């Protein structure tokens, strides 16, 4: 572990308050989707975040529907796969949502998760090489104005782009990653970001947060245990202590969670949001 990176010193330079997002992309109908958005808002979540996959709702449309039935909840994409749309198309959608939500839209962008190549083929668009996708991501950021930009990143080139152009960097690492593995990524981001690092909001997604881990986790994600940063278990007090520890040690202040655990995690949100 790099001794000069944030893993060693971030506790002395982190002043970002906690924010919490709920990640959801499906509902039986419009009424259920509206109820989910209102529930997230009432429980103190900052954002409702919609993935960009062919197995979930269209993210811009779903975000607009959620914003229409809430007043303070921010809505966002988690994250737009840039091969699916031109930079100009993303900028158009973003500008529309920024206006219609009264500035409550946050744009999350990524170069494409592993399964995104199959979705791109189904959509009839070219996925591109890693280099081409990163270049397209950079052009997309430059085309967008006036909104917060979140970039999901893990590899060096994406971390470098995020270091230069993001407001929020969410670490796109497997949920099995330990704090040490996450810390190594943050060391790298620290070196790449330089003076910008202190201003970056650092995010991490939880695939589950509950008193006990659900049985389906192992079959979907492999072995997860108490050392896995993508899983949070225990009492609300214990989970809150873990997140405080991670913010002090790693600088992670923006925590998103699978919306299946919206209510399980709500006591933690109540304890920590805004602090």
């Amino acid at each position: 572990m790099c001794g000069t990176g944030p893993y060693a010193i971030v506790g002395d330079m982190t002043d970002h308050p906690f924010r919490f997002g709920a990640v959801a992309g499906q509902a039986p109908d419009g009424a259920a989707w509206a109820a989910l958005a209102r529930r997230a808002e009432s429980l103190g979540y900052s954002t409702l975040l919609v993935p960009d996959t062919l197995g979930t709702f269209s993210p811009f449309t779903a975000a607009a529907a959620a914003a229409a039935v809430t007043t303070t909840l921010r809505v966002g994409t988690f994250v737009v796969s840039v091969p699916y749309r031109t930079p100009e198309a993303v900028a158009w959608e973003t500008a529309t949502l920024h206006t219609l939500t009264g500035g409550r839209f946050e744009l999350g962008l990524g170069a494409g998760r592993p399964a995104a190549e199959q979705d791109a083929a189904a959509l009839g668009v070219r996925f591109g090489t890693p280099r081409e996708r990163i270049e397209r991501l950079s052009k997309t950021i430059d085309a967008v104005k006036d909104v917060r930009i979140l970039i999901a990143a893990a590899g060096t080139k994406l971390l470098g782009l995020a270091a230069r152009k993001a407001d929020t960097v969410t670490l796109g690492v497997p949920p099995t990653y330990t704090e040490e593995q996450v810390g190594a990524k943050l060391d790298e981001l620290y070196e790449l970001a330089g003076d910008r690092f202190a201003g970056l909001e650092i995010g991490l997604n939880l695939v589950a947060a509950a008193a006990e881990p659900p049985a389906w986790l192992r079959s979907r994600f492999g072995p997860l245990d108490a050392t896995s940063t993508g899983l949070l278990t225990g009492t609300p007090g214990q989970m809150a202590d873990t997140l405080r520890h991670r913010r002090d040690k790693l600088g992670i202040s923006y925590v998103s969670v699978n919306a299946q655990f919206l209510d399980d995690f709500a006591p933690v949100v109540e304890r920590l949001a805004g602090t």
Side-chain angles (χ1 to χ4, degrees):
M1 189 66 61
C2 176
T4 60
Y7 192 63
I9 64 172
V10 74
D12 296 328
M13 60 189 296
T14 299
D15 58 3
H16 294 282
F18 278 111
R19 289 205 305 155
F20 296 95
V23 181
Q26 294 177 320
D29 51 37
W33 182 249
L36 173 63
R38 293 190 187 103
R39 182 67 176 159
E41 182 175 60
S42 71
L43 291 174
Y45 287 86
S46 175
T47 51
L48 180 62
L49 304 169
V50 189
D52 190 15
T53 80
L54 292 187
T56 54
F57 289 147
S58 169
F60 292 110
T61 304
V69 297
T70 56
T71 56
T72 61
L73 184 72
R74 301 179 70 82
V75 295
T77 55
F78 198 72
V79 291
V80 165
S81 182
V82 295
Y84 302 169
R85 305 167 186 83
T86 65
E88 293 76 16
V90 174
W92 179 30
E93 297 278 9
T94 298
T96 300
L97 271 172
H98 177 68
T99 299
L100 296 183
T101 65
R104 288 189 286 136
F105 179 66
E106 298 186 13
L107 178 66
L109 296 168
R113 71 197 196 290
E117 188 167 6
Q118 287 72 40
D119 283 0
L123 290 167
V125 296
R126 184 172 179 272
F127 191 58
T129 65
R131 179 178 178 178
E132 289 170 336
R133 298 198 309 274
I134 292 171
E135 289 176 354
R136 192 179 187 112
L137 177 54
S138 180
K139 290 177 181 178
T140 300
I141 296 167
D142 292 343
V144 172
K145 308 294 182 185
D146 301 324
V147 300
R148 287 188 63 88
I149 300 291
L150 175 151
I151 296 179
T156 300
K157 290 183 179 179
L158 269 178
L159 285 171
L161 180 61
R164 297 191 303 273
K165 297 190 176 186
D167 300 295
T168 300
V169 181
T170 193
L171 298 175
V173 297
T176 54
Y177 261 40
T178 65
E179 286 187 359
E180 288 72 22
Q181 289 173 304
V182 169
K185 289 293 180 184
L186 289 169
D187 277 348
E188 189 173 6
L189 178 63
Y190 175 78
E191 296 297 333
L192 292 165
D195 292 342
R196 287 199 82 232
F197 183 83
L200 292 174
E201 181 182 54
I202 306 299
L204 192 68
N205 186 54
L206 300 173
V207 297
E212 296 291 337
W216 55 263
L217 274 182
R218 183 173 296 274
S219 61
R220 183 171 178 184
F221 295 105
L224 291 169
D225 57 32
T227 68
S228 303
T229 53
L231 170 66
L232 199 60
T233 60
T235 67
Q238 289 169 333
M239 289 191 281
D241 286 345
T242 297
L243 293 182
R244 290 190 191 98
H245 162 79
R246 289 180 184 172
R247 184 175 65 177
D248 291 345
K249 188 176 183 179
L250 301 169
I252 296 167
S253 61
Y254 186 27
V255 181
S256 55
V257 64
N258 182 336
Q260 292 184 49
F261 303 94
L262 192 77
D263 290 295
D264 296 278
F265 195 56
V268 181
V269 174
E270 183 178 11
R271 281 169 166 80
L272 296 182
T275 65

